[in-house]
Amino acid sequence: MDLANALNPDQHEAAVHGTGPQLVLAGAGSGKTRVITHRIAWLVRERGVDPRSITAVTFTNKAAAEMRERVEQLLQRHPLPCFVGTFHRLALVMLRRWGPKVDLTHDFAIVDTADQKALIKRALREEGLDESSFPVNSVLGAIGRAKHKLIGSAAYAKQVDDFFHTRVAKVYKRYQKLLRDAGGVDFDDMIHLSVKLLEDEQVRRRMRERAEWLLVDEFQDTNHAQLRFVQALAGPGGNLTAVGDEDQGIYRWRGAELDNILDFERSFPDPAIRKLEQNYRSTQNILDAAGAVVAHNTGRRGKTLWTDRGAGTKIVLYRGKDEVDEARWVVNAIQSTDVPLGDSAILVRTNAATRAFEEELLGRRIQYNVVGGLRFYERAEIKDLIAYLRVLRNPRDFLSFSRVLNQPPRGIGKTTRELLEARAERTSTTPWDILLAGDLDGISKRGATALLAFRDLLKGMIDEAEHLPLPALLRHILDTTGYAKLYDKDDPDSQTRRENIDELLNAAQSFAEQRGYGSGAAVGSLEALAEGDDSLTAFLDHVSLVSDTDDFDPGGSVSLMTLHSAKGLEFGAVAIGGLEDGILPHFNAKQHSADIEEERRLLYVGMTRAETRLFLSCARRRRVAGRWQDQLPSPFLSEIPPRFLQIEEAASFSTPPGVPVRQAQDVYSFFKRPVPAGASSSGRGGSSPSPPRGERRVVYDTPNAGAGALRKGRRVRHASLGTGKIIDIEGSGDTMRLICIFEGKGRRKLVAKYANLELL
DNA sequence: AAGTCGGGCATTTTT
DNA sequence: TGCCCGACTT
């Protein structure tokens, strides 16, 4: 391992940093993962550090997995017994090990946002508060903000005084009680309780041994609680290496505090501060343009990215007539590059905004995949089965209990359920305790019978759970509860759900195998602390923390996603759509300058995803919430110096790929927008002639567009359903579904691949 | 328990 | 404008 050769001088310096805190300001594409992995390798190999005393923390499982893999590669050692994982995984290890010290039962469950909302609703009801004056999301938001700052319910109650927040304080307190009664811990609690645990002498000693060399990635995304966690873990003068980029902080709305980077010295005195400014991803034009945007922000330390790869092509900016026209241009643009479609991405501000692009791609039969959106473990059928597993482990988990109580339907209706739950509430127990006691007076005979049958069903399954391995247990649940029957029909919906269930079985199978082969936690590793757990607990932890069946592989298809989802990724060609005032910056962000700055960073993140080609686009008008709205270009566009841009306009959109297009003089005259005060560029606009407004156009017909396209509004014929019309399209590729209305038969959902539709 | 209707709503989402 | 959730219906 030749560090000096593998790293540039700045990277090298950061990697071989000695003791004490270090802040590495790593610009986009500057090789931060490289620094972290090489630092770990250097510590182990050159400094003879015991890997068990190294802890590396990330935000995502993906980042952690990648990091671990690369370190193990570097050191040729697998598994390496250092901790590499997410904040929450680290917290979980501690809580499974020492949970009782903070009054947690050993089998606590991690509750997700949906569960949180259910608990808030219950808490609201118990407090006699109305959901219309206390919307669940607002209440949850307020509680979340408190938790991010490590403010418990008691402290919260003391510091609020207005009407709304004093009620929220009550709900907060009750929420915590319900959460604990159900045996649950939410994501924020995990961090909170870990910080608390670290106040314990013994825990602190043990953990600091493990985190003697601490590395934290994406430091700009840490919230206050996580900062305190890191501080407690590192201890005074700890050997912390924090890596981050204030320009890529896009999670303020989730509690992330940029000040953790900006005021790093306050939390970790006398740090070494290093910048990584050489970029290995993008062309200089892209870097300069993106840099110019974010240079308008005040809350930053500032850095200037450079590359030795040359200026590259100009960024192409297009303003379309409407979102359909914009999408058409963007797809043309992406097709016109020599970058493969599988290495291209279209980025947008909101999930809903992918629609116009999807339709365009669909119409041209271009493969695409939408990244993000509905996640695997959030699908109803998966949540149901997970809920069964949770109930089997802890039948007092009333959230999961009520989820499966009548799923599949077994004659326990609303009235019965409400009586049961009210009784549990009144006696401060759980529905399960009521069932065990058999105290069912006042419940209808039919309901009571169904409840007792359910009790016996659960009892039987709990016994089975003792000795059945995980995949078999899941199959057992599917059979004995009759859940499998729920989706044994032949319609596309059932098919999808069956596929998902199969995927869960696969996940369980491979999870069990991996654990069986012991390739999970390395001997002596921090993770091994929690290893005493049964495999059911481990699996449930796994699904709670993973949230998705990981890694997306674009294959040959264009990736479509939000700017947020794009963070951390890179593509040969990138197009960012909908760059309009009110979309980016989003109109909800316009109240506070701090929010505006975050929107700017969002654009920065998007732009710096591109390696060689970058396209920016907006539309003159678009449908917003159903109404046509005239749109102005994003003010951020005028922050990009014109020399980096090549501007196109609606009249010339039909230019075939590769043919150079007419250029307007500069971005300001193009948009008839005065140069914003403080903009560093020299351009001056406002009075230049407006661009030609010709709407004449020749539609550029791609070879495979045309009549064969499946798109909304098309009339089709189905072998048995007759003629109808496509009214909507979901998904893509093999799982693409068409929602059609058939004459006389009504609405049907068909899997495009199997439907064999004839186009009319 | 499943289907229908209508009001409210409509950023971003690593764990 | 469309979708999602909750209330209401049968």
Side-chain angles (χ1 to χ4, degrees), chain A residues 139-179:
Chain A
V139 175
L140 186 57
I143 294 175
R145 279 190 296 279
K147 288 192 168 195
H148 291 153
K149 293 185 192 140
L150 291 180
I151 300 168
S153 61
Y156 186 79
K158 270 185 216 147
Q159 70 176 60
V160 294
D161 46 15
D162 63 296
F163 178 81
F164 181 79
H165 294 280
T166 47
R167 312 297 133 124
V168 170
K170 296 202 180 248
V171 178
Y172 186 1
K173 187 174 175 201
R174 200 173 275 269
Y175 165 83
Q176 286 302 125
K177 181 179 183 314
L178 287 171
L179 189 59

Side-chain angles (χ1 to χ4, degrees), chain A residues 417-486:
Chain A
R417 148 180 313 221
E418 274 171 1
L419 284 169
L420 179 69
E421 286 177 352
R423 183 156 306 178
E425 225 164 80
R426 201 157 2 105
T427 54
S428 288
T429 55
T430 64
W432 177 245
D433 293 306
I434 306 288
L435 286 195
L436 280 186
D439 170 24
L440 301 178
D441 299 344
I443 292 177
S444 75
K445 182 124 199 188
R446 238 177 33 175
T449 315
L451 284 177
L452 292 177
F454 181 60
R455 179 191 67 186
D456 296 339
L457 177 78
L458 274 193
K459 272 186 174 169
M461 288 199 300
I462 288 169
D463 290 341
E464 293 294 326
E466 294 287 316
H467 64 267
L468 279 182
L470 190 53
L473 178 59
L474 273 169
R475 266 185 218 103
H476 181 74
I477 293 171
L478 284 166
D479 295 340
T480 33
T481 63
Y483 196 89
K485 280 215 194 95
L486 218 45

Side-chain angles (χ1 to χ4, degrees), chain A residues 533-693:
Chain A
D533 299 329
D534 57 300
S535 63
L536 183 50
T537 298
F539 182 69
L540 288 174
D541 284 346
H542 173 76
V543 300
S544 300
L545 293 184
V546 168
S547 90
D548 217 338
T549 47
D550 250 339
D551 296 284
F552 90 104
D553 169 22
S557 48
V558 175
S559 299
L560 218 55
M561 68 188 95
T562 63
L563 288 160
H564 284 90
S565 308
K567 195 173 136 200
L569 304 176
E570 59 185 12
F571 298 92
V574 167
I576 306 177
L579 292 172
E580 293 145 38
D581 201 11
I583 295 181
L584 190 84
H586 196 273
F587 63 92
N588 281 335
K590 293 172 89 171
Q591 339 296 338
H592 301 105
S593 63
D595 290 331
I596 296 269
E597 298 211 346
E598 177 142 314
E599 298 285 302
R600 219 179 246 121
R601 292 192 290 269
L602 209 40
L603 178 57
Y604 175 83
V605 166
M607 291 174 79
T608 52
R609 299 308 96 197
E611 287 163 2
T612 57
R613 301 302 309 273
L614 177 59
F615 303 97
L616 305 176
S617 68
C618 54
R620 277 204 178 80
R621 53 179 216 144
R622 77 170 58 235
R623 290 182 103 103
V624 180
R627 297 190 81 80
W628 281 105
Q629 234 180 51
D630 288 324
Q631 295 288 94
L632 290 171
S634 165
F636 299 154
L637 287 174
S638 48
E639 294 170 0
I640 302 174
R643 65 177 183 281
F644 302 123
L645 295 173
Q646 170 189 324
I647 295 163
E648 296 190 17
E649 51 199 278
S652 63
F653 95 96
S654 58
T655 309
V659 177
V661 294
R662 178 170 29 131
Q663 245 181 289
Q665 293 83 346
D666 67 52
V667 66
Y668 305 114
S669 66
F670 182 68
F671 293 139
K672 294 194 293 184
R673 177 182 277 280
V675 181
S680 51
S681 335
S682 54
R684 235 184 200 286
S687 57
S688 314
S690 58
R693 285 187 47 94

Side-chain angles (χ1 to χ4, degrees), chain A residues 695-736:
Chain A
E695 301 290 12
R696 293 168 287 115
R697 56 174 67 155
V698 185
V699 175
Y700 179 65
D701 207 358
T702 51
N704 41 9
L710 287 172
R711 66 174 74 164
K712 265 163 69 168
R714 280 219 71 107
R715 295 192 47 82
V716 292
R717 179 179 289 126
H718 184 271
S720 56
L721 295 161
T723 57
K725 196 164 122 189
I726 302 177
I727 58 161
D728 207 353
I729 292 169
E730 284 177 7
S732 64
D734 283 357
T735 60
M736 181 166 94

Side-chain angles (χ1 to χ4, degrees), chain A residues 211-232:
Chain A
E212 192 184 337
W213 302 92
L214 180 59
L215 300 102
V216 181
D217 193 16
E218 306 279 21
F219 205 73
Q220 76 282 354
D221 290 338
T222 51
N223 61 32
H224 179 73
Q226 286 157 337
L227 173 74
R228 293 277 302 276
F229 188 23
V230 172
Q231 277 184 302

Side-chain angles (χ1 to χ4, degrees), chain A residues 290-305:
Chain A
V293 170
V294 88
H296 286 77
N297 280 351
T298 53
R300 64 194 291 260
R301 286 171 181 267
K303 53 189 161 338
T304 312
L305 296 182

